[in-house]
Amino acid sequence: MFQPGLYDGRCVLITGGGTGLGRTMAERLAGLGAELVLMGRREAVLAEAAREIESAHGVRVRFAALDVRDPEAIEAALDGLWDDTPPDTLINNAAGNFTARFETLSPRAVDAVLNIVLHGTSYMTLACGKRWLAAGMEACVMSITVTYAFTGAPYVVPSAMAKAGVLAMTRSLAAEWGPKGIRFVAVAPGPFPTPGAWDNLYPRPGLGSKMENRPPVGRPGRHDEFADLTAYLLSPQAGFIHGEQIVIDGGNWLKRASSFSELDALTEEDWQAMAEKGKRRP
């Protein structure tokens, strides 16, 4: 089904689209003919990604630097898009996370994750959705979740709370907006290595990399596998998949439901190192 031109005439908006899995999805969809809109906080990263994708695939790639935590910035950016070519597909990929013992967190630390993952996703979905509904457009929304959205997980409690909310939004709006032509899906990825991903979640080198080979299949996920799943789920061929979360983790959650349980073994010095790392993170 992955024929050239599968996404001709489609316009896909990806938050956090300049790096990591966001960039992976952007490359795959552009290769199938989709026009793209990349959004994120770092304009230079977005500009470079847009230039490279346009050069490689010959499609139009627009970008906008914004913070998904700012609903007014989202509204302004979308006004500009709708004056040109409006997106018919939204991928909610922007996220933030860190590991910490919950009792050590301040309200501001909790909000740092909730505001990006839960509020930012809902702001973007609402802003696009009300425009689609007003225009009578058919559209599709895919949100990136996690398996611990339905299992819970220690040491990443704000992330688990936020992702559970995103999954609830996906299922709730599937029922509410589905009859109006807007389809919703969610994808929960397991370990897909990206530069610096594990370093941001673990206090010392090597500890996080052990996660990559934990799934029962004995290896981490490949980015092309994730990209192909995305390309399928957003295509017309997947039109009857609605309101569901698809897990792509090599069976990892079946073997270890709590993704960060191994952090029980961290020492007090490890936790202090994590706290210091968090203070240095912008």
Side-chain angles (χ1 to χ4, degrees), residues 112-137:
V113 175
L114 291 177
N115 287 343
I116 296 173
V117 178
L118 180 57
H119 297 161
T121 296
S122 61
Y123 295 158
M124 185 64 72
T125 302
L126 174 60
C128 288
K130 67 183 183 183
R131 288 169 169 81
W132 290 327
L133 294 172
M137 286 179 60

Side-chain angles (χ1 to χ4, degrees), residues 10 42 46 53 73-74 79 85 87 95 97 128 132 142 154 164 167 172 179 185 201 211 221 224 232 255 260 278:
R10 298 279 298 275
R42 295 181 291 172
L46 295 172
I53 294 171
I74 290 173
D79 282 344
T85 302
N97 195 11
C128 288
W132 290 327
M142 186 175 87
L167 180 57
S172 299
V185 293
L201 292 172
M211 291 273 289
D224 64 290
Y232 169 64
K255 190 173 183 180
F260 288 87

Side-chain angles (χ1 to χ4, degrees), residues 187-198:
V187 175
F192 284 84
T194 57
W198 299 125

